[in-house]
Amino acid sequence: MSSTTKASRIGEELWKTRVDKVNAELVTLTYGTIVAQLCQDYDGNYQEVNKQLEKMGYNIGMRLIEDFLAKSNVGRCANFRETADMISKVGFRIFLNIAPTVTNWTSDNNQFSLVFDENPLADFVELPDDGRAQDELWFSNILCGVLRGALEMVQMQIEAHFVSDVLRGDDTTEMRVSLVRYIEDEMPPEEE
Amino acid sequence: MSYYFTILSPTDVPLFNIAFGTSKSGGDGIARFRFPDTAQYMNQFIIHSSLDMVEEAQWMNGNMYLKHIDTYPPASAYISAFLTPSGARFLLLHQPPHAAGPNANAGGSGGGGGGGIGGGSSILGGSFAAGSSAARASASSIAANPTSPQTEEAVRQFMAEVYENYVKTVMNPFYRQGMEIRSAVFRSRVTAAGRKWL
């Protein structure tokens, strides 16, 4: 429990001192426009939109981890539980000023859920009522990619996906994160 | 009192409309217009005919709420308007219950000249009314006094609440400017605002 409170203290502190703030509507509308444009470009193929969002997030995450570590100056996490607290209490706090609840751990400590009480990306959003978006589109899927990209750079291969979203009429917005493996240092492929 | 509310884009394209009745003084929230069900287009006809008045009034002062701007005496329909800065028009047609009795008529004429004419013609209007909403509303309620300050205030509150929700709706990234508002959430919020204020 203490690591959780420590993490939230770090997060709060960083949010107050080290983070440049931008207008929330700017973020919301920019992200919303991207998603809406993707939906249009892929002609309502929401599976493909989810995939593209995840890929975008992955590319963001790979750089964002660098920024995250530079700002927070935290060391390596001892275990996956600590990682989860870092993600929720520090990572989400400094980049989105939210702290999703970490919950639903599996007994082997390799899987958890992030429950989002609020989601700045999805303010104002109502999914298109074409009868499919409600079942197929994960509006905030970019976040899954961000986590995957960021953790991959610190030797963790994970898999993240949304399991529910208030935009679809669910009670909560929940993301499931599972650790696939720790990436061991590998020798680069033989060069000549 | 029955209401017909509509939102028009700056180029006069109807974006949204809804008909509802009063929920004050024991009203059940169901619209009972004086036109037979087959002639509901009369509401749209009357409300759109007030656009000239809106355009005249919109430059008179800087207010977004233009208050009661037009009356159509033959149906005793009163129209209030609200302008958004981007030029969308919110128009609310309200029609007092035709069988509200002499009290309502007296109240109406007390409110202004238009009310007197409206009150007189409501007897005429009653001849082709379907169903009766009876004298449900008392003379002091906003339902019976379409031009009273209380009514203006209630309509203003209603417009302000709808405007707030309208802004949220147009901020939805999946909403394209000038598109019909199909959001069920918006519709329910307008209904709720109507129930709360009118």
Side-chain angles (χ1 to χ4, degrees):
Chain A
M1 209 59 222
S2 71
S3 86
T4 310
T5 44
K6 189 172 145 238
S8 28
R9 219 177 42 237
I10 297 174
E12 294 289 346
E13 188 58 32
L14 286 170
W15 169 254
K16 278 187 208 129
T17 55
R18 301 287 298 274
V19 180
D20 295 331
K21 279 50 162 200
V22 302
N23 182 288
E25 273 87 13
L26 174 69
V27 177
T28 308
L29 289 182
T30 310
Y31 181 68
T33 310
I34 290 172
V35 180
Q37 186 66 46
L38 279 175
C39 292
Q40 202 182 321
D41 290 353
Y42 287 100
D43 213 13
N45 180 349
Y46 296 119
Q47 270 86 14
E48 191 58 33
V49 174
N50 291 340
K51 210 153 88 192
Q52 291 300 323
L53 285 173
E54 211 269 352
K55 208 187 269 179
M56 285 167 143
Y58 178 71
N59 288 322
I60 293 174
M62 288 201 297
R63 305 143 210 252
L64 205 59
I65 186 72
E66 205 70 61
D67 187 44
F68 170 79
L69 292 171
K71 277 204 179 86
S72 65
N73 216 3
V74 292
R76 176 173 289 274
C77 296
N79 52 42
F80 200 48
R81 273 182 175 266
E82 209 175 293
T83 309
D85 282 335
M86 269 307 161
I87 293 170
S88 137
K89 301 292 184 304
V90 188
F92 275 103
R93 173 66 73 197
I94 66 181
F95 293 118
L96 287 176
N97 193 24
I98 55 173
T101 317
V102 179
T103 175
N104 292 343
W105 281 96
T106 52
S107 52
D108 59 0
N109 283 339
N110 278 345
Q111 271 187 42
F112 63 92
S113 292
L114 288 170
V115 178
F116 294 81
D117 296 328
E118 48 179 340
N119 179 1
L121 295 185
D123 282 346
F124 315 118
V125 175
E126 278 177 52
L127 297 180
D129 62 348
D130 55 5
R132 293 187 303 116
Q134 298 271 341
D135 301 318
E136 297 173 14
L137 178 65
W138 293 114
F139 185 82
S140 310
N141 216 34
I142 200 165
L143 296 178
C144 299
V146 172
L147 289 191
R148 185 166 71 89
L151 293 181
E152 186 175 302
M153 298 307 276
V154 288
Q155 279 79 47
M156 270 172 271
Q157 189 184 346
I158 60 139
E159 197 278 324
H161 61 271
F162 277 98
V163 291
S164 65
D165 192 337
V166 285
L167 292 180
R168 294 184 171 201
D170 300 323
D171 293 336
T172 53
T173 303
E174 179 176 340
M175 189 204 287
R176 195 79 188 141
V177 182
S178 17
L179 176 67
V180 179
R181 65 183 180 117
Y182 284 100
I183 304 167
E184 305 297 334
D185 283 340
E186 286 169 17
M187 295 297 283
E190 205 75 21
E191 289 176 29
E192 297 306 302
Chain B
M1 188 87 122
S2 302
Y3 298 95
Y4 185 83
F5 175 71
T6 193
I7 297 179
L8 295 171
S9 83
T11 48
D12 297 346
V13 181
L15 302 181
F16 178 85
N17 54 59
I18 186 171
F20 59 96
T22 187
S23 301
K24 299 281 180 212
S25 4
D28 54 6
I30 296 167
R32 291 184 185 77
F33 290 106
R34 291 162 199 209
F35 321 109
D37 284 341
T38 51
Q40 290 302 320
Y41 56 82
M42 279 302 282
N43 285 326
Q44 288 170 2
F45 179 71
I46 296 168
I47 216 164
H48 285 81
S49 71
S50 73
L51 277 174
D52 285 341
M53 305 291 283
V54 175
E55 271 155 29
E56 214 169 277
Q58 67 179 327
W59 306 114
M60 303 302 268
N61 57 37
N63 297 337
M64 296 209 285
Y65 178 40
L66 304 177
K67 300 191 178 169
H68 166 232
I69 50 150
D70 197 12
T71 309
Y72 181 68
S76 73
Y78 300 81
I79 293 156
S80 303
F82 181 95
L83 282 168
T84 73
S86 67
R89 269 75 56 90
F90 296 3
L91 297 173
L92 179 76
L93 176 150
H94 32 134
Q95 194 177 51
H98 68 280
N103 281 345
N105 287 343
S109 50
I117 302 163
S121 63
S122 72
I123 298 155
L124 194 150
S127 63
F128 57 91
S132 162
S133 60
R136 211 178 247 120
S138 75
S140 61
S141 74
I142 58 167
N145 297 289
T147 50
S148 72
Q150 290 91 324
T151 311
E152 296 280 23
E153 180 59 19
V155 174
R156 192 183 65 75
Q157 302 270 29
F158 169 76
M159 292 292 196
E161 191 163 328
V162 172
Y163 179 47
E164 203 174 293
N165 290 307
Y166 171 79
V167 171
K168 284 185 187 147
T169 304
V170 297
M171 291 276 271
N172 178 2
F174 292 106
Y175 176 79
R176 274 178 292 108
Q177 203 62 35
M179 198 171 82
E180 185 195 340
I181 300 175
R182 293 205 201 86
S183 160
V185 178
F186 181 71
R187 185 165 288 271
S188 70
R189 295 231 170 100
V190 172
T191 312
R195 207 174 300 135
K196 187 163 153 199
W197 300 111
L198 300 175

